Amino acid sequence: QVQLVESGGGLVQAGGSLRLSCAAPETKLSINPMGWYRQAPGHERDLVATISRDDVTTYADSVKGRFTITRGNAKNTVYLQMTGLKPEDTAVYYCSARVTWGLEGVPGAPYTDYWGQGTQVTVSS
């Protein structure tokens, strides 16, 4: 099992910045990748950004150039620095962590995605 602890959401004006944090301090499982997803009311949960153990990152087109995902020095820690926030960024943000139960990188290897409890980000116009 992987327990993810998130922090850093809140209310900010458009153009402002927030930093989200996520950690899985107690797991001994190998996590790769970690990431952030978000879900706005009436919408599906969408990818925001992911980062691999090798620091390979992916971003949704809507956040490229504004959001930066990084890994912390502590194991299984990830941050999402959000700048230039827009009202359309308003959503519940969820940290994610993938554990592969076979060999990583092998097509079809079974895995489990774990989720944090979510943290609300609200951007006012």
Side-chain angles (χ1 to χ4, degrees):
Q1 279 288 353
V2 175
Q3 221 170 2
L4 297 171
V5 180
E6 302 162 345
S7 62
L11 172 64
V12 66
Q13 287 189 330
S17 300
L18 282 174
R19 188 192 195 211
L20 305 183
S21 301
C22 175
E26 298 181 359
T27 185
K28 291 182 171 55
L29 296 175
S30 177
I31 294 176
N32 187 39
M34 293 186 75
W36 290 94
Y37 288 70
R38 67 186 180 187
Q39 187 168 18
H43 290 77
E44 294 185 353
R45 191 173 296 186
D46 294 323
L47 168 74
V48 176
T50 64
I51 186 166
S52 75
R53 188 182 299 120
D54 300 325
D55 289 332
V56 175
T57 57
T58 61
Y59 292 95
D61 287 343
S62 59
V63 306
K64 283 180 181 175
R66 299 188 298 123
F67 293 8
T68 303
I69 188 169
T70 56
R71 291 191 301 114
N73 290 329
K75 187 180 178 183
N76 297 329
T77 302
V78 65
Y79 303 101
L80 184 69
Q81 180 67 49
M82 304 184 292
T83 62
L85 282 161
K86 306 175 181 179
E88 51 263 43
D89 294 317
T90 295
V92 177
Y93 284 68
Y94 295 92
C95 180
S96 71
R98 174 165 292 186
V99 174
T100 299
W101 302 109
L103 290 175
E104 289 183 15
V106 173
Y111 63 86
T112 300
D113 287 331
Y114 294 91
W115 300 94
Q117 78 280 5
T119 184
Q120 178 70 46
V121 171
T122 303
V123 185
S124 63
S125 57

